[in-house]
């Protein structure tokens, strides 16, 4: 197959190639036609573009002529000022007659010094005041002709270009203003019709007047009511802004999204400058020349079709039929048929030679295929024998490979389990509290048990219920209300309890009926004491026993680790907690104070301290005995634990003195908290041995860093000084430390 036939298989036949040759001969004619059409299109576009530029220039000149004519008219009217400042029907009629002489005028009017319209060409009976117009104010200030910015007429309600001239008395004083309003819509429509009627290609020209800020003043024609449209970001206005100085003509999409060729200009005087754009639809610009092009192209297509049909007919009779016969026989031989011969071929000598050589080729091919078939049979038998041996060896290798992979996975899983459990044990050795250990246990058991769900429950301090410790897996429980020990069969029996939906074991009561599938509960025992239970959902496949053994091992190691944590937590509580009240003691204050100051400094937050002293505490001991004093101290301690945030630290320093550290709490908030605490203490009703204790009160000192106290080292001393001040002021009070209070007590 030739390269041409490879990429163009539809042109592989002789007849198709002959037709292609005819088509190629027509290409130069088509190219000349296209070039001629494009040239005509270019010339037509240039003519229309020149006409657009001419229209823009004519409108520009007409606008300046209108302003000049208006100036002349106003100058002539200013010669008789008294005539135009007396309201009368005759005055209105005279102005109306003058207005009719100018097709673009909206109104001619006169205004007094107060801005009231005296005479108007519209004969409007409504009182109109124009003092709010800038051009009227400028005219009343004196000077020459004022051409104002385009505005909406108060009478016509259309966009007008105002022109005004002061009226002077014989003594030179300003008596009022006479003005003309040029209706921009009438002006633009009139000029557009007068300048485009002589050209058939300019029948659909659109013209637009713009404010410099992109607001559409007038559009002609305006079927979409675009007056007042803010189009600063439109493609048309952005192009207009960039081409008003060089006056280029460009193709841009209009406000109605129709592509047009536009010419641009800037018209007006001084502050009354406005922008002008005139556009012609691109489709209409080239409509006539495109129609000629398509008609010519249609004629060429018809002629080409006739020539192609003639070439097709000649190729059919002279070439395709003889060659098709030969091609058909070749295709039969290619499909596997044998014993085919052409014999005598009627036609050109080349075709006869081709037929003779074809017969020789078929004879040789038949002899070769017979030999090839014998060789192929021998090769097939050898191949089948070899493939059988390879298949046996492959199966043996695959079996050995799977066994090795399974052993490697098992070893890797065991290594991972050992690593996770060792890391978990090391981490738990560093934990101080159970709450600190739960996230570590949750992450480690997630790694250990893959996607299996599980939960650890531990006994409450009372020993009569279990509470949720940590959960893991896809549906990990974040919070659990807990349950009684008898609700779990493993705790009743003191051994593991494995439940199967189809088995004989009963479901534990702490497991919801909605939870389906097998599970195991394992008691967590350490030093002969049950700390809790490990609950694990088991998989549905045959690998349950592996996870059962792993869960039992994990439960044993976790029980020992949790027992050590609880022991360390108990020892630490004994060292930092006050035995009588359960509050933190002085040692804890010394440990935590500097840490909280550093944290508040990093976060740019305040830190406050409350120093609390029970008033007349010695009286309780002297009157009711030391046990009564302990009752008061325990009651105050309980109130402190209940009255503050989890982030606050209520402490007992000794005797009847208490201290509360309030991180991230400013002075105002600390004072409010102290005052609330003082009221709660004063409302305590206590009894000892059946006798009511007298009302308990307390004095409180408040100190805050860094405002007003700059030095955190004197914060506690300052709070103590404020407490001393409260006691001296009569007790049962809250005093706040100032800058020097830490020094006053000393």
């Amino acid at each position: 197959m030739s390269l041409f036939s490879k990429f163009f298989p539809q042109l592989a036949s002789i007849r198709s190639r002959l037709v292609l040759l005819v088509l190629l001969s027509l290409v130069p004619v088509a190219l000349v036609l296209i070039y001629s059409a494009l040239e005509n299109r270019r010339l037509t576009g240039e003519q229309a573009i020149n006409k657009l530029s001419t229209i823009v220039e004519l409108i520009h000149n007409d606008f300046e002529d209108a302003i000049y004519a208006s100036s002349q008219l106003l100058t002539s009217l200013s010669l008789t000022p008294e005539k135009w400042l007396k309201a009368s029907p005759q005055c209105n009629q005279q102005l109306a007659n003058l207005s009719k002489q100018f097709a673009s005028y909206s109104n001619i009017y006169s205004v007094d010094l107060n801005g009231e319209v005296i005479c108007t060409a519209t004969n409007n009976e409504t009182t109109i005041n124009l003092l709010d117009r800038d051009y009227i104010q400028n005219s009343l200030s004196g000077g020459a002709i004022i051409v104002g910015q385009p505005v909406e007429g108060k009478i016509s309600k259309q966009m007008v270009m105002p022109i005004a001239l002061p009226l002077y008395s014989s003594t030179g004083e300003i008596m009022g203003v006479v003005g003309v309003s040029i209706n921009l819509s009438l002006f633009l429509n009139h000029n557009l019709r007068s300048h485009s009627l002589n050209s058939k290609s300019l029948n659909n020209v659109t013209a637009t007047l713009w404010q410099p800020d992109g607001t559409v003043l007038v559009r002609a024609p305006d079927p979409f009511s675009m007056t007042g449209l803010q189009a600063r970001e439109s493609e048309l206005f952005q192009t207009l802004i960039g081409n008003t100085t060089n006056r280029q003509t460009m193709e841009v999409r209009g406000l109605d999204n129709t592509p047009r060729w536009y010419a641009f200009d800037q018209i007006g005087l001084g502050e009354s400058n406005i922008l002008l754009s005139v556009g012609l639809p691109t489709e209409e610009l080239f409509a006539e020349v495109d129609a000629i092009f398509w008609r010519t192209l249609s004629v060429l297509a018809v002629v080409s079709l006739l020539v192609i049909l003639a070439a097709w007919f000649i190729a059919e009779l002279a070439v395709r039929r003889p060659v098709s016969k030969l091609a058909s026989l070749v295709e039969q031989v290619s499909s596997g048929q044998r014993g085919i011969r052409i014999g005598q071929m009627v036609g050109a000598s080349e075709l006869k030679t081709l037929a003779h050589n074809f017969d020789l080729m078929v004879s040789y091919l038949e002899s070769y295929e017979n030999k090839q078939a014998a060789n192929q049979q021998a090769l097939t038998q050898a191949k089948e024998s070899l493939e059988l041996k390879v298949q046996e060896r492959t199966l043996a290798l695959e079996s050995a490979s799977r066994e090795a992979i399974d052993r490697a996975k098992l070893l890797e899983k065991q290594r991972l389990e050992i690593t996770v459990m060792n890391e978990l044990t090391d981490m738990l050795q560093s934990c101080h509290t159970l709450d600190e250990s739960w996230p570590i246990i949750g992450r480690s058991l997630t790694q250990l048990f893959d996607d299996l769900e599980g939960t650890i429950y531990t006994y409450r301090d009372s020993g009569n219920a279990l509470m949720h410790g940590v959960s893991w897996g896809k549906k990990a429980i974040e919070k659990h209300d807990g349950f009684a020990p008898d609700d779990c069969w493993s705790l009743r029996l003191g051994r593991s309890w494995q439940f199967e939906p189809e088995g004989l074991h009963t479901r534990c009561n702490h497991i919801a009926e909605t939870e389906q599938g097998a599970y195991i509960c394992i008691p967590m025992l350490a030093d002969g004491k049950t700390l809790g239970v490990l609950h694990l959902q088991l998989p549905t496949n045959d690998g349950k026993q592996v996870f059962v053994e792993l869960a039992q091992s994990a439960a044993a190691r976790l029980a020992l680790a949790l027992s050590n944590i609880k022991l360390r937590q108990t020892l630490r509580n004994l060292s930092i907690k006050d035995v009588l009240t359960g509050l933190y003691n002085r040692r804890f204050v010394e440990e935590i104070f500097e840490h909280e100051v550093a944290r508040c400094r990093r976060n740019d937050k305040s830190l406050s301290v409350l120093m609390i002293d029970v008033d007349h505490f010695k009286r309780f001991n002297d009157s009711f005995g030391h046990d009564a004093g302990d009752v008061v101290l325990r009651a105050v301690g309980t109130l402190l634990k209940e009255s503050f945030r989890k982030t606050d630290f209520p402490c007992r320093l000794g005797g009847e003195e208490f201290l509360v550290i309030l991180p991230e709490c400013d002075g105002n908030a600390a004072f409010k908290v102290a005052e609330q605490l003082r009221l709660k203490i004063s409302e305590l009703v206590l009894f000892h041995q059946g006798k009511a204790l007298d009302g308990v009160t307390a004095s409180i000192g408040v100190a805050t860093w860094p405002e007003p106290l700059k030095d955190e080292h004197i914060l506690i001393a300052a709070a103590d000084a404020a407490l001393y001040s409260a006691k001296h002021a009569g007790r049962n009070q809250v005093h706040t430390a100032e800058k020097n209070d830490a020094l006053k007590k000393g």
Side-chain angles (χ1 to χ4, degrees):
M1 182 183 290
S2 66
L3 186 63
F4 183 85
S5 299
K6 178 180 179 182
F7 290 100
F8 302 97
Q10 65 276 21
L11 300 177
S13 67
I14 296 176
R15 179 175 55 187
S16 300
R17 294 185 182 186
L18 182 60
V19 171
L20 176 63
L21 182 62
V22 173
L23 285 175
L24 291 176
S25 66
L26 295 174
V27 169
V29 179
L31 293 177
V32 171
L33 175 64
I34 292 172
Y35 173 78
S36 176
L38 292 176
E39 186 64 16
N40 289 336
R41 207 171 191 271
R42 183 183 64 80
L43 293 175
T44 301
E46 288 182 355
Q47 292 173 2
I49 288 168
N50 291 334
K51 291 178 182 178
L52 283 178
S53 300
T54 301
I55 290 176
V56 168
E57 186 175 355
L58 291 172
I59 293 176
H60 186 163
N61 294 337
D62 288 348
F63 190 80
E64 292 182 351
D65 291 344
I67 293 177
Y68 177 76
S70 300
S71 302
Q72 294 299 314
L73 174 62
L74 295 178
T75 302
S76 65
L77 295 177
S78 67
L79 297 178
T80 55
E82 295 82 0
K83 179 179 180 181
W84 311 115
L85 292 177
K86 294 180 181 180
S88 64
Q90 294 78 9
C91 179
N92 292 342
Q93 186 60 45
Q94 288 178 353
L95 293 180
N97 293 336
L98 288 173
S99 179
K100 292 178 182 178
Q101 299 176 20
F102 300 90
S104 300
Y105 278 12
S106 174
N107 194 11
I108 304 175
Y109 52 88
S110 61
V111 178
D112 63 13
L113 294 177
N114 295 322
E116 299 289 341
V117 175
I118 305 301
C119 292
T120 172
T122 61
N123 289 316
N124 185 61
E125 296 181 358
T126 304
T127 301
I128 303 296
N129 191 292
L130 300 179
L131 193 59
D132 58 337
R133 303 292 198 186
D134 291 341
Y135 68 92
I136 294 295
Q137 295 176 9
N138 293 336
S139 292
L140 290 174
S141 300
I145 290 289
I146 299 295
V147 181
Q149 294 182 353
V151 295
E152 183 183 89
K154 290 191 175 183
I155 297 176
S156 65
K157 302 302 180 182
Q158 294 183 344
M159 297 305 297
V160 299
M161 175 69 76
I163 305 173
L165 179 68
L167 294 176
Y168 293 94
S169 67
S170 57
T171 59
E173 296 180 354
I174 295 177
M175 301 173 62
V177 175
V178 64
V180 170
S181 296
I182 300 177
N183 188 313
L184 294 179
S185 178
L186 295 176
F187 170 80
L188 196 59
N189 279 283
H190 172 74
N191 278 271
L192 197 60
R193 286 194 302 271
S194 62
H195 296 317
S196 60
L197 284 177
N198 295 328
S199 176
K200 182 179 179 181
S201 62
L202 299 178
N203 285 340
N204 291 312
V205 171
T206 62
T208 307
L209 292 177
W210 307 73
Q211 288 276 31
D213 63 354
T215 302
V216 176
L217 291 173
V218 177
R219 186 176 185 269
D222 190 10
F224 304 107
S225 300
M226 294 185 180
T227 298
L229 176 66
Q230 174 51 251
R232 181 176 184 82
E233 301 302 326
S234 65
E235 180 184 358
L236 174 57
F237 183 75
Q238 293 297 322
T239 305
L240 185 154
I241 289 296
N243 292 277
T244 51
T245 55
N246 52 30
R247 298 187 179 181
Q248 290 184 355
T249 303
M250 304 182 69
E251 186 178 18
V252 190
R253 285 191 177 275
L255 295 178
D256 55 0
N257 210 31
T258 300
R260 292 184 176 87
W261 281 88
Y262 280 94
F264 311 101
D265 199 0
Q266 179 174 304
I267 63 177
L269 299 173
E271 296 182 355
S272 65
N273 277 349
I274 56 177
L275 305 176
L276 169 66
S277 63
V278 178
L280 177 65
T282 304
E283 182 179 353
E284 297 183 13
L285 177 63
F286 300 109
E288 185 175 350
V289 67
D290 288 347
I292 295 173
F293 169 73
W294 288 112
R295 285 197 298 271
T296 307
L297 192 62
S298 300
V299 173
L300 177 63
V302 172
V303 173
S304 300
L305 181 61
L306 294 176
V307 173
I308 290 171
L309 290 175
W312 188 280
F313 182 74
I314 294 171
E316 173 70 20
L317 295 179
V319 180
R320 194 198 68 80
R321 290 184 181 180
V323 174
S324 295
K325 179 181 178 181
L326 180 59
S328 175
L329 295 176
V330 171
E331 186 175 355
Q332 293 177 28
V333 173
S334 300
S335 64
Q337 296 185 32
R338 298 294 179 263
I340 296 174
R341 300 293 186 272
I342 296 178
Q344 294 295 323
M345 170 71 76
V346 179
S349 59
E350 291 85 355
L351 293 176
K352 292 180 179 179
T353 302
L354 183 61
H356 176 70
N357 290 333
F358 175 80
D359 290 343
L360 293 176
M361 180 194 70
V362 172
S363 298
Y364 173 76
L365 181 61
E366 290 173 350
S367 175
Y368 175 78
E369 286 181 347
N370 291 334
K371 295 179 181 179
Q372 192 72 13
N375 294 334
Q376 183 65 35
Q377 185 177 2
L379 286 174
T380 302
Q381 293 175 353
K383 178 184 176 183
E384 290 176 352
S385 176
L386 181 61
E387 286 179 346
L388 182 60
K389 293 181 180 179
V390 170
Q391 185 176 8
E392 292 174 354
R393 294 286 182 87
T394 302
L395 291 175
L397 288 173
E398 289 178 350
S399 176
S401 176
R402 283 194 296 271
E403 291 178 0
I405 291 173
D406 292 340
R407 285 196 299 271
K409 288 182 177 178
L410 178 60
L411 291 173
E412 176 62 21
K413 184 171 182 61
Q414 291 175 349
R415 185 196 65 79
L416 177 61
E417 293 170 359
I418 294 171
T419 301
V420 171
M421 290 305 299
N422 288 340
E423 291 179 353
L424 175 59
T425 303
D426 292 341
M427 291 293 291
L428 293 180
Q429 290 296 328
S430 303
C431 292
H432 297 299
T433 64
L434 289 180
D435 290 339
E436 188 179 8
S437 70
W438 293 134
I440 298 172
I441 295 173
R443 288 192 296 270
S444 298
L445 296 187
T446 299
Q447 286 183 278
L448 204 59
F449 294 113
D450 297 331
D451 294 331
L452 297 182
E453 301 165 9
T455 306
I456 291 179
Y457 302 94
T458 59
Y459 273 100
R460 298 183 182 274
D461 293 338
S462 60
N464 60 356
L466 288 97
M467 61 182 179
H468 173 264
V470 66
S471 298
W472 62 90
K474 292 182 179 179
K475 300 180 180 178
I477 303 173
E478 296 183 0
K479 187 177 182 181
H480 197 284
D481 293 336
F483 57 88
D486 288 345
D487 290 339
C488 182
W489 283 102
S490 69
L491 295 177
R492 288 192 188 186
L493 301 174
R495 59 179 175 82
S496 299
W497 182 262
Q498 185 172 342
F499 170 79
E500 298 285 347
E502 305 298 332
L504 299 176
H505 283 181
T506 305
R507 182 190 297 269
C508 294
N509 290 334
H510 66 91
I511 303 300
E513 293 291 338
T514 57
E515 294 186 24
Q516 302 297 323
Y519 70 84
I520 185 170
C521 288
I522 305 170
M524 300 174 66
L525 305 173
D527 299 328
K529 183 178 180 181
T530 303
L531 300 179
V533 63
L534 185 149
H535 167 78
L536 180 68
Q537 294 290 125
L538 296 176
T540 56
N541 52 32
D542 297 332
K544 293 180 182 178
Q545 189 57 35
V546 175
F547 287 102
V548 168
E549 294 174 359
L550 181 59
Q552 290 173 339
S553 175
R557 298 185 68 170
L558 285 173
L560 183 59
L562 294 178
S563 176
N564 292 336
I565 291 174
K566 293 186 72 172
L567 179 59
R568 290 196 298 273
Q569 187 174 352
T570 300
L571 293 175
R572 176 165 174 78
N573 285 340
L574 291 174
S575 67
I576 64 172
K577 290 289 184 74
D578 177 60
V579 177
L580 178 63
T581 61
L583 300 175
Y584 293 112
N585 57 20
R586 181 182 293 273
R587 177 181 177 182
F588 179 79
V589 172
E590 294 172 354
E591 290 181 4
I592 200 64
F593 181 73
E594 293 296 333
H595 171 76
E596 290 301 317
V597 168
R599 187 171 67 84
C600 289
R601 179 181 285 111
R602 286 194 305 271
N603 297 332
D604 195 22
K605 299 291 185 180
S606 300
L607 185 140
S608 297
V609 171
L610 306 185
M611 185 68 76
I612 306 162
D613 187 88
V614 179
D615 296 331
H616 303 297
F617 180 72
K618 186 173 182 300
R619 177 165 53 84
F620 293 104
N621 288 335
D622 295 342
S623 300
F624 302 98
H626 288 282
D627 290 342
D630 291 344
V631 170
V632 173
L633 293 177
R634 277 196 294 269
V636 173
T638 301
L639 189 60
L640 289 177
K641 285 187 284 188
E642 295 174 349
S643 300
F644 292 96
R645 305 169 298 178
K646 291 184 178 180
T647 56
D648 299 333
F649 303 97
C651 312
R652 180 189 177 200
L653 296 181
E656 69 273 25
E657 281 196 332
F658 297 86
L659 176 73
V660 182
I661 300 174
L662 303 174
E664 300 186 8
C665 181
D666 59 21
N668 291 334
F671 183 85
K672 292 179 181 179
V673 171
E675 183 62 27
Q676 292 172 0
L677 176 63
R678 183 191 66 78
L679 290 174
K680 290 180 181 179
I681 293 174
S682 66
E683 293 171 356
L684 287 174
V685 178
L686 304 176
F687 293 90
H688 175 63
Q689 295 180 353
K691 296 179 181 180
L693 302 179
D694 293 341
V696 181
T697 62
S699 301
I700 304 176
V702 181
T704 303
W705 170 86
E707 289 294 337
L709 301 176
K710 302 296 185 182
D711 186 359
E712 69 273 15
H713 298 97
I714 66 170
L715 191 59
I716 295 178
D720 193 35
L723 169 64
Y724 183 77
S725 172
K727 282 189 170 294
H728 276 270
R731 294 183 171 83
N732 194 21
Q733 298 182 21
V734 177
H735 279 204
T736 301
E738 301 299 334
K739 292 184 178 180
N740 298 322
D741 279 1
L743 304 176
K744 290 178 181 178
K745 185 177 180 182

